[in-house]
Amino acid sequence: QAKSQGMGRYEIFNTHMHTKSLARLQLETDLRRSLEREEFEVYYQPIMRLADQQVCGFEALLRWRHPTRGIISPLEFIPLAEETGLITTIGCWVLYQACTQLKTWQTEFPQVQHLTMSVNLSAKQFLQPNLLGQIEQTILATNCERNSLKLELTESVLMNNAIAISHALNKIRQLGVKLSIDDFGTGYSSLSYLHRFPLDTLKIDRSFVNTLTSSKEHRAIVQTIVTLAHHLQMDVTAEGVETQEQLEILHQLHCEYAQGFLFSQPLTAQAATQFLTDTINLSSASFF
Ligand code: C2E
Ligand code: MG
Ligand code: MG
Ligand code: MG
């Protein structure tokens, strides 16, 4: 009796594992075909300057429109793309799309000065030997302004392989491209480590921004991070700003930029163009 029960359990567990790996395998197969099937779309979330509340850039955020499952979050498919190595091709495509869009906006909206485009890169991409060539080629092919391109990396990228990464980052910087550290505060990087890397912008993770109004400790942490970043000649962007109250505190703490649902969700290229048009009209109107 006990033995057969044990067997039964074993089989259920086994079937479950089997279903899980099949689902993963299916997703992996789908992911391999997604580029040629044109299922990817880059969305753009505005980044605002706090001093004058004007849009000063966008972050490119990838979306996958799966034929049967609908939109799948990058939190789900990016790890799979990293494991399978597909991230190299996908990342290259995202960079090209984002630079093309940047060029379009720079041409259509010359009155918005220094409009930036931020693109997320994963650890694998930074260790790719031809990354530099890929970036250079994309800039030349799209004819976008290289100083307006910002590549985002997370703390874990810096911590694993610090020497190789530092070398890669210096080379990217020499191209004229800017670098941001993303989700700052969630990883394990020690603060004393930051100055070793040529970073332009520090993005405070939204978990600190969320709790700014309720937690004195988080407010103190954010204050410290902003001060540190400024000492290291970096500017600061707050992620996940959802309320006016959070925005006001960030302004008091001398944070330069903010991004979040308070201003806008990530938008399709078309909607982001409309957002730009609207905010420009709004600001020129307010001068009269
Ligand atoms: P991330 O780079 O930190 O991007 C910010 C994420 O926060 C986005 O999620 C955005 O939609 C979300 N967000 C923005 N404002 C708010 C807010 O006010 N409240 C809340 N709750 N969320 C907000 P998303 O688009 O789902 O992307 C998740 C992550 O996936 C990104 O985090 C990034 O790490 C990764 N990712 C997205 N696109 C790419 C890509 O093209 N390449 C790579 N390697 N990673 C990507
Ligand atoms: Mg990012
Ligand atoms: Mg982030
Ligand atoms: Mg984040």
Side-chain angles (χ1 to χ4, degrees), residues 13-245:
F13 174 70
N14 206 8
T15 310
H16 174 70
M17 292 296 284
H18 188 61
T19 313
K20 233 184 122 178
S21 61
L22 268 185
R24 204 201 104 110
L25 207 64
Q26 184 60 55
L27 200 66
E28 194 182 311
T29 310
D30 293 347
L31 194 60
R32 283 185 196 284
R33 297 175 184 151
S34 54
L35 257 184
E36 60 190 65
R37 293 188 177 178
E38 299 181 13
E39 292 166 359
F40 284 126
E41 185 171 358
V42 181
Y43 275 50
Y44 300 92
Q45 187 178 35
I47 300 173
M48 314 297 287
R49 196 186 304 113
L50 295 194
D52 56 4
Q53 305 232 4
Q54 293 298 298
V55 57
C56 61
F58 288 89
E59 177 173 2
L61 294 160
L62 187 58
R63 297 290 178 265
W64 179 16
R65 212 180 297 277
H66 188 276
T68 55
R69 293 184 47 191
I71 289 189
I72 300 181
S73 160
L75 295 175
E76 191 176 341
F77 71 81
I78 292 287
L80 190 59
E82 283 173 355
E83 283 167 42
T84 53
L86 287 166
I87 192 67
T88 312
T89 328
I90 296 173
C92 190
W93 183 84
V94 173
L95 187 66
Y96 184 83
Q97 296 297 312
C99 288
T100 305
Q101 191 58 60
L102 175 63
K103 176 64 188 174
T104 304
W105 284 332
Q106 283 173 339
T107 311
E108 275 179 36
F109 302 96
Q111 64 273 55
V112 185
Q113 286 182 8
H114 312 298
L115 189 76
T116 60
M117 178 63 76
S118 299
V119 180
N120 294 285
L121 261 67
S122 60
K124 270 232 171 99
Q125 289 176 273
F126 279 102
L127 295 171
Q128 225 179 284
N130 63 338
L131 176 67
L132 209 70
Q134 231 176 53
I135 297 169
E136 178 84 73
Q137 272 172 27
T138 309
I139 291 170
L140 293 175
T142 60
N143 199 23
C144 71
E145 209 182 294
R146 56 181 69 219
N147 300 314
S148 305
L149 178 63
K150 283 185 159 189
L151 302 180
E152 299 195 352
L153 57 140
T154 55
E155 286 167 86
S156 58
V157 175
L158 298 185
M159 297 313 284
N160 310 323
N161 259 307
I163 292 172
I165 290 293
S166 170
H167 188 70
L169 297 185
N170 277 308
K171 285 273 166 73
I172 292 172
R173 259 292 212 67
Q174 281 163 19
L175 284 181
V177 172
K178 303 275 197 307
L179 295 166
S180 309
I181 181 151
D182 202 358
D183 302 341
F184 190 79
T186 56
Y188 290 99
S189 74
S190 90
L191 294 180
S192 63
Y193 228 79
L194 266 187
H195 76 277
R196 299 195 195 178
F197 302 97
L199 303 164
D200 301 279
T201 300
L202 184 153
K203 298 186 78 169
I204 299 181
D205 190 68
R206 71 162 186 266
S207 55
F208 294 104
V209 176
N210 265 334
T211 45
L212 260 186
T213 48
S214 59
S215 157
K216 269 193 182 144
E217 290 78 13
H218 275 189
R219 196 176 161 140
I221 291 171
V222 170
Q223 167 104 75
T224 306
I225 294 174
V226 173
T227 306
L228 173 81
H230 288 167
H231 277 302
L232 298 176
Q233 268 76 52
M234 301 164 79
D235 50 47
V236 181
T237 303
E239 294 189 293
V241 179
E242 293 182 357
T243 69
Q244 192 66 37
E245 228 183 327

